[in-house]
Structure formats: C-alpha cells, structure tokens
Amino acid sequence: MAALKLLLSQARRHCLTKHSSQSLFLTSHRFLSSSESNSNSTKTPFESISIQPVSYPVKPKDPSPSTEPSEPQSLRQPPPPPPRRADSQESRPTWTREDVRYVKDAGSITPVSYPVRVAPLPDDKVPAADEEMDKERRRIEAEDQLRMRMVKAAEEEKMKVPFPMLIKPKKNEKPPLLDLTEAIRQVKVNAKAKFDETVEAHVRLGIDSKRTELAVRGTVILPHGAPKAVSVAVFAEGAEAEEAKAAGADIVGGKELIEEIASGKNKLKVDKCFSTPGMAPHLGKIAQYLRKRRLMPDKKLGTLTSDIAGQLKELRQGRVEFKMESKSILHVGVGKVSFKEDALRENLGAFMNAVLLAKPAGLKKTSKYAGYVLSVHISSTMGPGLPVSIQSLSKAADNYKKMHVL
C-alpha cells in the first residue's frame, strides 16, 4: 500500500494525465495481483483497492474573482515573472522562493570559474619587494648598532671616576724604594698591634730554587739580640751533657731521650736541637721526625758540634739562622718594634753581611748584589711590607763590617 502511495505522488508531481495515471494504476495493480496470485491462488485476480488522494495547498490567487474553471493543481502554470525595467542591469528574473517552487523546469545555474592562483617562486619575486626587504634589513641593523653604542656608552659612564677625583688611580703601581732609615721609621709607625711585634726582613734572590747546589743558608749573630728567646735540646752523654746543662740547655739527653722521642712519649717541643758528633749515628731513628720540624742538627748551621757551650752562648747572644725557601726567598726576624732605630739598622746590616758571605761560588756576577739579591722588604708582624733600596742596605752592611769584623 505504501508503495502504491509513493507511485501516485510521483505521478501527480510530474503532471501526468488521467489516462496515464489509470494505465499506471492498472499496471501496478496487475503487478500486485500477479504477486499475490502466486502466493495465494484462491484470491481473484482483480481486486479493488481504495486510493486516497493527495492534495497540496493551493497558491493564493488575486483578490479579483476568476470565472475560469479551476484546473488541477498539478496542471497549474506558474505566474509569469514580473516585467523588468528598461534601465535595470539585472540579467536574472526577480522571482521569490515561493515562485520557484512551482516551476517545472528551472533554469540551470551556470558555474562561475575563477582564475587559478599560483604561488610565486623565488625567481619570480618582484624587484620592488626585494628592495623593501633590503630597506627593512638595513633599518634593523641600524637600530641594533645604535643600541650597542648606547650600552657601551652606559658602561663607560659607570667606569668614569666620580667628581672631585680628576686623576684615575693607576693599577699595579709599584711603591717607591725607601731608604733604610725611612723604612724603619715607617715600620714603627704602622705597628699598631697590642703586642710587641717582630721586625722581619724578606729577601728575594735571583737563584733557581731547583738547583740545590746553589742553595743559600747560614747563621748570623745579631749585635742587639734576637727577637725572641729560644728553647734548646741537646743530644749528649757524659761530660758533654754536663757542660750543656751548665750552659743553660733546656733538655739534655742521650740514647734514652732518642728512644722516648721514637716511641712518642716525648714530643720534643723546642726551637733548636744540638748534638755532639758521637750521638749523630743514633739520630737515624728520629731523623724523619726532626726534619719535619726543622730540628735536625746540621754541621753547616753549627748545631752539630763538640763545642756545645760556645754555641749555646752565641745563641743566647742573638744568633739566628736563615735558609732559602722553595720560591728563592729568605725570611728572618731582626728585632722587635720596641728596639731603637739604630739597633734595628745594625741588625739589618749584620744580616745583609751574612747573606753576602753565603753567596754561592757558582753564581758569577760583576757586582756583589747584581743578579744575587733582587729585592728586600721589611715589615712588622701585622704591618705592610716596605721596599728598601739595595744601596742603603749595602751601606749598613759595610758599617757593620767595619765595627764588628776584624
């Protein structure tokens, strides 16, 4: 039944005549009857079927009454398009959607074609565009250069010396050399510690520290005493041990003292160690311990000798030792800040004379100081170092040699 309704609706839409519709109805009826006869042979071949008509809404007409007989809706012609004006430039009729619904054969819409757009290749670029890009690039580079100049100018302004300083301080400027008397005076002024500071002398030598045969070492007796008291230990036995005790040695012992140091019972907290030649072979057990503390007796330094009493007497009078370190520098204390200027001057002269006497034989130079002593500085324990001229130190050494050396 639904199929029949569909067929009838299509027929009415295409404006079929009654005859054609009847023939279509008959053919469809025959088709349906034949199909039904196959399934059920007892039914009659022609059986009436009720048809329900389909109606569409009638388009409203003009208000003027029409005497013409009404035609079927399927055969109704659409109204003619409204007349166009002569001055109108429109090519299409001004129909509404409602009018188009009743048009049997509507005109086809012609497609509109647009030109194909192709992306330009790098070779097809317009020269004007390249010029604009070059101008933009040059503008950006100019802005970057201007920015860098501004940053550089700001940094230079920060580095400028503020007012009222008009002269920039020079970096790494070496202080001027001072005369020995002036240097001693300034050392006394700069010593502001609460204790009696030691006046120290620092000599930089022009000798390669790797060449052990040119090492500089020696002793000197300061005319006005050493800067500090020294505690002494003596390795001796018998009469020599008694002489050492009488000379004022703090610790005196023989093999028993060596065994105590080797076992760790005695730490041997002294400043100097003396030994007699007879006890030297027994010091091998504690040689490493003594070398670490720079206490090993040495014949060059006068600590390995049979005259223990004479050496201790010189030590009490102000005997000091000096030895070149790994950086070719000599460090020695020559007195206290409380000493008078003349006393410090004589002590420094004695020390410089001893440094000249300890000059290696393999170092050949025309002058006694050229190539050997490069610079000399003196300072207090907590004060700054002051450079001293070699000429003033040479005069002090010559004066000491005239007064104390026969």
Side-chain angles (χ1 to χ4, degrees):
M1 197 67 185
L4 181 59
K5 289 181 180 181
L6 180 60
L7 291 173
L8 289 175
S9 62
Q10 292 178 355
R12 289 182 182 277
R13 288 181 182 177
H14 289 82
C15 302
L16 297 176
T17 60
K18 295 180 180 181
H19 179 73
S20 61
S21 65
Q22 290 178 0
S23 62
L24 180 62
F25 169 72
L26 290 176
T27 54
S28 63
H29 179 72
R30 288 174 184 175
F31 176 76
L32 293 173
S33 63
S34 62
S35 62
E36 289 179 358
S37 63
N38 292 333
S39 61
N40 191 2
S41 61
T42 60
K43 293 184 180 181
T44 58
F46 298 99
E47 187 176 357
S48 62
I49 299 173
S50 60
I51 299 172
Q52 296 180 359
V54 179
S55 60
Y56 292 92
V58 180
K59 180 181 178 183
K61 297 182 179 180
D62 297 335
S64 60
S66 174
T67 58
E68 296 179 0
S70 61
E71 295 180 359
Q73 188 176 4
S74 61
L75 300 178
R76 188 176 300 165
Q77 295 295 332
R84 293 183 297 174
R85 296 179 181 178
D87 58 348
S88 175
Q89 298 179 0
E90 297 181 358
S91 62
R92 292 182 297 176
T94 57
W95 290 352
T96 62
R97 293 179 61 88
E98 196 71 22
D99 296 336
V100 175
R101 288 182 58 186
Y102 297 96
V103 177
K104 179 180 178 181
D105 296 327
S108 61
I109 301 174
T110 58
V112 179
S113 61
Y114 296 94
V116 181
R117 300 181 64 181
V118 181
L121 297 175
D123 299 338
D124 301 336
K125 289 184 178 180
V126 183
D130 295 341
E131 292 178 1
E132 292 180 358
M133 292 179 64
D134 292 340
K135 290 180 181 179
E136 185 68 16
R137 178 177 55 79
R138 286 194 295 269
R139 184 183 63 81
I140 294 172
E141 290 178 356
E143 291 180 355
D144 292 342
Q145 291 178 1
L146 180 60
R147 192 180 299 107
M148 292 298 294
R149 284 196 222 101
M150 293 175 64
V151 172
K152 189 175 181 180
E155 293 179 355
E156 290 179 356
E157 288 181 359
K158 291 181 181 179
M159 294 176 63
K160 286 182 180 179
V161 179
F163 186 81
M165 292 183 63
L166 301 178
I167 302 175
K168 292 183 179 180
K170 294 182 180 179
K171 296 181 179 180
N172 299 328
E173 184 179 1
K174 294 183 179 180
L177 296 176
L178 301 176
D179 186 73
L180 181 58
T181 304
E182 181 64 22
I184 293 172
R185 188 177 296 112
Q186 290 193 19
V187 167
K188 284 178 165 290
V189 172
N190 294 327
K192 299 179 181 180
K194 296 181 180 180
F195 60 92
D196 192 7
E197 298 182 38
T198 302
V199 178
E200 301 173 355
H202 310 278
V203 181
R204 188 163 64 93
L205 304 176
I207 299 175
D208 188 4
S209 59
K210 296 180 181 179
R211 300 181 62 180
T212 56
E213 71 276 6
L214 299 179
V216 178
R217 62 189 307 176
T219 59
V220 57
I221 300 176
L222 301 178
H224 298 277
K228 66 176 183 178
V230 179
S231 57
V232 179
V234 178
F235 295 98
E237 289 181 345
E240 295 176 343
E242 296 297 331
E243 292 179 1
K245 290 180 181 179
D250 298 304
I251 298 175
V252 179
K255 297 179 182 179
E256 297 178 358
L257 179 60
I258 294 174
E259 293 294 336
E260 290 179 1
I261 295 171
S263 61
K265 295 180 181 180
N266 193 337
K267 298 297 182 180
L268 197 65
K269 297 180 179 181
V270 293
D271 299 321
K272 297 289 180 181
C273 283
F274 289 85
S275 175
T276 58
M279 293 298 299
H282 302 285
L283 295 177
K285 295 182 180 179
I286 57 174
Q288 187 176 2
Y289 179 85
L290 295 176
R291 287 194 182 96
K292 285 183 179 180
R293 289 157 180 78
R294 297 183 178 181
L295 297 176
M296 188 67 183
D298 191 352
K299 188 174 182 180
K300 294 181 180 180
L301 298 177
T303 53
L304 182 61
T305 179
S306 57
D307 188 11
I308 300 294
Q311 294 293 331
L312 291 177
K313 183 179 179 181
E314 292 181 358
L315 186 63
R316 299 303 181 188
Q317 290 177 355
R319 175 181 171 181
V320 293
E321 299 176 1
F322 56 89
K323 181 179 179 181
M324 187 179 71
E325 296 183 354
S326 59
K327 294 184 179 180
S328 303
I329 298 178
L330 300 175
H331 301 282
V332 68
V334 294
K336 292 287 186 179
V337 175
S338 57
F339 288 9
K340 295 181 179 180
E341 294 182 8
D342 295 338
L344 292 174
R345 183 182 178 86
E346 290 184 11
N347 284 354
L348 282 168
F351 168 67
M352 290 304 299
N353 183 62
V355 170
L356 287 175
L357 293 176
K359 182 178 179 180
L363 192 66
K364 297 180 180 180
K365 295 292 178 182
T366 56
S367 176
K368 54 183 178 181
Y369 290 103
Y372 177 47
V373 178
L374 301 181
S375 64
V376 179
H377 291 71
I378 62 173
S379 66
S380 60
T381 305
M382 306 297 293
L386 301 174
V388 185
S389 62
I390 303 296
Q391 291 79 3
S392 60
L393 289 169
S394 178
K395 291 179 182 180
D398 294 340
N399 292 335
Y400 169 79
K401 191 174 182 181
K402 290 177 183 179
M403 294 176 60
H404 298 277
V405 179
L406 299 177

